[in-house]
Amino acid sequence: MASLTFRIGGELLVGRLGFGAMHLPTEPAADRESAVAVVRRAVELGVTLIDTAHLYGGGANEELLAEALFPYPAGLLITTKVGVARTGPGGDWRLDGRPSVLRDQVDQALRRLRVDRVELLQLHRIDPGTPLAEQLGTLRELQTEGKIGRIGLSEVTVDELDRARTMVDVVSVQNRYNLLDREHEPVLEACAAADIAFLPWRPVAHGTSGAREEIGAVARELGATPTQVALAWLLARSPVVLPIPGTARAEHLEENLAAARFRLTPAHLSRLDGLAEPG
């Protein structure tokens, strides 16, 4: 049976089924109160890895997590992402990996999360307009200064990951990946080979009617839901895979986290492995 825990960077022990905070509303007040309850319930149910980003409400999501969970329980890892910025007040979001922007967003994250150090800081995207060495060099400097503990990347190719690893120690990669969308399978394989945590975003996809029918059939055999089957498949795919499904509803949260109870047989895996859809 595959372990349901993983040590990110060989040190940070987390449960492999985490929580993505992107969908949590921060306003109006009633919705915010519900969001606070959901994330608190996630921790009550044993979640030890929560993913957020500066992009999510321009930091409002980070503030929500602090409101809900600070002081943080021992063993809880909140990871955030930087490198996407607005062009101005009310402007469009765009990739921005300039050193001054990365530094400012990290400082903002420290203040909003009410911490002295972000234990895992991920570059939300590589900004093609800024040399990669400058982006990663800034994060390395922040690491040396003690403001961040470990460095991760998001939406990278194998080549970009290889280049980045010549400059910094990369402990996590967050790419789009799920049962039906396996465009980044080579990246997952590279992460598995190097024992790098792979955090699939959009971990559940709906797909074609044929795929839905097959997933539904496996779900009925297990007494599970299709969503639980999709998450159980990710947990079985590789020991470095750490899904971070997100929701703003408590019932969906409990459904997602219950996926860890299901064990797919070799026959189930064989049927599901064949469902990957063309990119």
Side-chain angles (χ1 to χ4, degrees), residues 28-228:
D31 288 344
R32 185 183 185 90
E33 183 177 347
S34 176
V36 166
V38 166
V39 74
R40 286 176 176 168
R41 181 60 176 153
V43 173
E44 287 173 2
L45 292 172
V47 167
T48 53
L49 170 62
I50 297 177
D51 175 80
T52 183
H54 178 86
L55 174 64
Y56 307 158
N61 196 269
E62 295 169 335
E63 292 178 333
L64 174 73
L65 293 178
E67 177 185 330
L69 301 172
F70 188 86
Y72 303 113
L76 177 64
L77 173 64
I78 297 180
T79 174
T80 192
K81 300 183 288 294
V82 297
V84 184
R86 270 204 153 121
T87 55
D92 295 329
W93 290 95
R94 64 178 179 86
L95 303 185
D96 196 335
R98 290 175 295 168
S100 60
V101 171
L102 298 181
R103 280 188 164 277
D104 180 61
Q105 290 187 359
V106 168
D107 285 341
Q108 290 184 48
L110 294 173
R111 175 177 56 80
R112 288 173 172 140
L113 291 170
R114 308 180 197 175
V115 294
D116 296 323
R117 166 168 148 146
V118 175
E119 290 298 338
L120 174 58
L121 190 286
Q122 300 174 95
L123 185 63
H124 208 145
R125 295 289 188 277
I126 292 175
D127 173 12
T130 302
L132 181 60
E134 290 187 17
Q135 296 175 70
L136 296 181
T138 300
L139 298 187
R140 187 175 58 241
E141 290 170 3
L142 289 164
Q143 190 176 38
T144 301
E145 294 165 15
K147 292 185 176 182
I148 64 178
R150 295 151 194 86
I151 297 169
L153 303 174
S154 181
E155 281 302 285
V156 291
T157 64
V158 172
D159 179 63
E160 288 169 337
L161 175 58
D162 288 344
R163 288 169 52 210
R165 293 183 67 205
T166 67
M167 305 176 205
V168 296
D169 182 20
V170 178
V171 302
S172 70
V173 168
Q174 188 172 146
N175 277 24
R176 188 189 70 254
Y177 185 85
N178 57 59
L179 172 56
L180 304 178
D181 179 359
R182 300 181 215 169
E183 175 186 350
H184 294 295
E185 188 78 40
V187 181
L188 170 56
E189 292 174 356
C191 288
D195 206 31
I196 294 171
F198 184 87
L199 284 62
W201 63 268
R202 197 179 293 162
V204 179
H206 301 292
T208 64
S209 59
R212 291 198 302 270
E213 289 174 7
E214 188 64 34
I215 296 168
V218 171
R220 288 190 294 274
E221 292 171 19
L222 289 172
T225 67
T227 293
Q228 289 170 333

